[in-house]
Amino acid sequence: MEREIIKTRDGSTTIHIKDWDECYHSRFGAIQEAQHVFIKNGLSLFENKSVSILEIGFGTGLNAFITFLESQKINQIIDYVGVEAYPILAEEVLLLNYVSELNANTERFIFEKMHECNWEEKIVLWNDFSFTKRNQFFAAIDDVEKFDLIYFDAFGYDVQPELWSTEIFEKMYKALKTSGVLVTYAARGVIKRSMKEVGFTVEKLPGAPGKREMFRAIKG
């Protein structure tokens, strides 16, 4: 499918899939969305704790990179796993402006290493931040009680409803430890029903800029 790099309203870039008219991040602000959904309403719950994270949709690497930057501020120990079925191209990585927009030029090598490192190989990116990329379909995930936090950042329900099914959320529930947390930018009734069906307690929170609401789900 034809793709292009576009700029979102906060100045940060994202990838736009023309055939679907779907973006990897919010058009209202890629960085703003990542910080609001995954950091403010996810990672911040684990301050001063070691945390294992599963990202559903590694994509551009934005969520992983912002998580790394945040972890350095509070010396947090993180084991990060990003799952992606269709990796972006090297030339697309070069056109993303996250390093400059986040004023993180000294950490540029971390962002580059996230994209250049081998798939299926766990590496230590920096001190207490370990990182693994899996080239894997979401339906193939079979982890059991391994993660404290899931960033669920799949493409939207309108274009890929199968990624928001009860079957997928059952896999997410199994992958989380007891009291583990899943956060996502989405907030639709059908998604909430699927989450609750597998056992999640679901709360609706204010959404990122440009979006009214988002979900946070907790494993009982």
Side-chain angles (χ1 to χ4, degrees):
M1 290 185 286
E2 188 177 357
R3 289 135 57 121
E4 62 181 343
I5 306 294
I6 65 169
K7 190 169 284 190
T8 65
R9 291 188 189 176
D10 68 0
S12 57
T13 49
T14 191
I15 297 175
H16 175 235
I17 301 175
K18 291 185 176 181
D19 293 0
W20 289 350
D21 192 24
E22 178 78 356
C23 291
Y24 276 61
H25 307 284
S26 171
R27 296 172 189 263
F28 293 99
I31 287 175
Q32 285 182 351
E33 179 185 54
Q35 290 174 328
H36 178 87
V37 175
F38 303 112
I39 304 303
K40 179 182 177 181
N41 289 298
L43 185 65
S44 67
L45 302 178
F46 298 88
E47 191 170 349
N48 300 319
K49 296 179 183 178
S50 298
V51 57
S52 53
I53 300 172
L54 174 65
E55 181 182 12
I56 302 300
F58 174 72
T60 65
L62 173 60
N63 298 329
F65 188 51
I66 286 182
T67 299
F68 170 79
L69 296 177
E70 291 296 320
S71 73
Q72 299 308 294
K73 296 176 184 177
I74 55 175
N75 298 315
Q76 194 168 32
I77 300 172
I78 290 182
D79 185 4
Y80 197 103
V81 176
V83 175
E84 179 59 57
Y86 300 101
I88 68 172
L89 303 174
E91 50 264 39
E92 291 175 316
V93 175
L94 294 175
L95 295 173
L96 299 171
N97 68 356
Y98 305 139
V99 171
S100 59
E101 288 297 308
L102 289 163
N103 298 312
N105 285 310
T106 56
E107 293 85 7
R108 177 180 297 276
F109 74 100
I110 294 291
F111 182 69
E112 293 173 349
K113 194 170 183 180
M114 285 177 170
H115 285 283
E116 294 168 358
C117 69
N118 293 332
W119 293 87
E120 326 304 336
E121 182 180 316
K122 185 173 183 175
I123 64 171
V124 176
L125 274 176
W126 185 259
N127 295 335
D128 293 327
F129 196 102
S130 58
F131 178 76
T132 310
K133 289 188 304 187
R134 293 188 199 163
N135 189 194
Q136 183 181 36
F137 289 104
F138 303 159
I141 292 171
D142 60 0
D143 301 280
V144 177
E145 296 186 354
K146 182 176 179 180
F147 300 100
D148 301 295
L149 176 63
I150 293 176
Y151 294 170
F152 200 90
D153 200 17
F155 286 127
Y157 183 88
D158 287 339
V159 297
Q160 287 195 308
E162 69 276 11
L163 301 184
W164 303 85
S165 65
T166 301
E167 290 75 19
I168 294 295
F169 284 118
E170 185 173 17
K171 289 180 176 292
M172 300 300 102
Y173 192 86
K174 289 179 179 178
L176 284 170
K177 301 173 186 176
T178 300
S179 301
V181 176
L182 180 152
V183 283
T184 183
Y185 64 88
R188 296 178 70 139
V190 64
I191 294 171
K192 184 177 182 178
R193 288 191 291 275
S194 291
M195 288 177 167
K196 293 182 74 173
E197 186 176 337
V198 303
F200 279 115
T201 298
V202 184
E203 54 184 329
K204 189 178 290 184
L205 303 171
K211 297 184 178 181
R212 282 192 309 163
E213 298 159 337
M214 59 165 280
F215 284 150
R216 181 164 61 200
I218 300 171
K219 178 175 180 176

